[in-house]
Amino acid sequence: DQQVKQNSPSLSVQEGRISILNCDYTNSMFDYFLWYKKYPAEGPTFLISISSIKDKNEDGRFTVFLNKSAKHLSLHIVPSQPGDSAVYFCAASGGGSQGNLIFGKGTKLSVKP
Amino acid sequence: KAGVTQTPRYLIKTRGQQVTLSCSPISGHRSVSWYQQTPGQGLQFLFEYFSETQRNKGNFPGRFSGRQFSNSRSEMNVSTLELGDSALYLCASSLVGTGEKQYFGPGTRLTVT
């Protein structure tokens, strides 16, 4: 049973436009959410996170929105750049610092020049 | 600070053999987690070690085991390798646990033939 779902395996966006990556979760106990970016042949790198007490967190071109009632979060990248082309993983945890981090299967973003 | 390092980076083994992978966390990090990444399943949590004790475990068979040393370095062992064990094995470290931001190593690409 997948607790964290990224229903779009891939997304293609034009450079300069907005990229929106979506993530749904089923476990209402999750209270901390993270996005990771992964390039081929490298490990995932942390991008941005959000706690369940917030509904938005912003860091430069990256903004994460959390809708707790819908159990949905999204990552907005504005403006998108070719260097953003990577696989993006959504992850969630609910046990404090000792809770397991559950990852989605990832969405491959391609930003075309 | 040096990042998370994993050795070896690539490995080819034959079905039935066993393999040991190594991970050195970021200095000061006491939590080390292991993940398996396959194209169809995304990142799946294997286990987490904290202060030389296994604290969390994912849903993998007993052929997958690990340990952590007093310097926080960790090893993962897979016995009686199967073709389906071919994957990228990622190690991640954090200060106190898996529920917070983790820092990933580049991974070990294991191919079982």
Side-chain angles (χ1 to χ4, degrees):
Chain A
D1 180 33
Q2 240 186 305
Q3 297 187 65
V4 178
K5 299 178 186 178
Q6 293 178 258
N7 291 320
S8 299
S10 63
L11 176 68
S12 184
V13 170
Q14 206 66 33
E15 180 180 5
R17 307 294 290 266
I18 184 171
S19 294
I20 300 177
L21 296 98
N22 293 303
C23 179
D24 296 295
Y25 61 96
T26 58
N27 190 337
S28 57
M29 297 299 292
F30 288 149
D31 58 8
Y32 186 55
F33 305 88
L34 307 90
W35 284 93
Y36 282 83
K37 178 169 73 173
K38 186 180 184 301
Y39 294 117
E42 293 182 15
T45 54
F46 171 78
L47 201 54
I48 192 169
S49 64
I50 188 167
S51 159
S52 61
I53 62 173
K54 292 185 165 185
D55 53 21
K56 176 182 172 181
N57 190 25
E58 206 168 343
D59 184 1
R61 297 185 297 113
F62 302 91
T63 303
V64 56
F65 295 92
L66 175 62
N67 182 333
K68 288 184 288 293
S69 60
K71 294 193 180 69
H72 176 83
L73 63 155
S74 60
L75 174 69
H76 292 210
I77 306 174
V78 185
S80 301
Q81 300 173 353
D84 296 330
S85 297
V87 177
Y88 288 78
F89 290 97
C90 167
S93 76
S97 63
Q98 297 185 32
N100 287 356
L101 203 56
I102 309 296
F103 283 84
K105 294 188 178 183
T107 296
K108 184 175 182 180
L109 173 65
S110 299
V111 180
K112 299 183 186 303
Chain B
K1 270 187 183 178
V4 178
T5 58
Q6 291 186 245
T7 56
R9 292 293 310 276
Y10 302 92
L11 206 48
I12 299 175
K13 288 286 189 178
T14 303
R15 194 170 43 182
Q17 288 185 315
Q18 74 158 14
V19 67
T20 299
L21 313 181
S22 181
C23 171
S24 292
I26 290 172
S27 176
H29 285 191
R30 296 167 66 190
S31 169
V32 175
S33 300
W34 289 89
Y35 295 85
Q36 181 194 65
Q37 186 191 7
T38 55
Q41 297 299 319
L43 271 76
Q44 291 188 287
F45 173 74
L46 279 153
F47 31 64
E48 183 223 0
Y49 284 86
F50 183 86
S51 293
E52 302 178 65
T53 301
Q54 187 181 87
R55 190 162 65 176
N56 283 312
K57 190 176 188 304
N59 194 23
F60 278 81
R63 298 185 298 107
F64 293 82
S65 63
R67 59 177 175 168
Q68 187 180 35
F69 302 95
S70 58
N71 61 358
S72 292
R73 190 177 70 84
S74 177
E75 288 182 346
M76 189 192 97
N77 184 275
V78 188
S79 62
T80 320
L81 283 165
E82 300 177 359
L83 294 178
D85 296 333
S86 294
L88 179 68
Y89 289 89
L90 292 158
C91 166
S93 77
S94 63
L95 279 169
V96 294
T98 50
E100 59 169 10
K101 182 170 76 175
Q102 294 178 63
Y103 297 83
F104 283 83
T108 294
R109 172 70 63 185
L110 171 66
T111 302
V112 182
T113 62

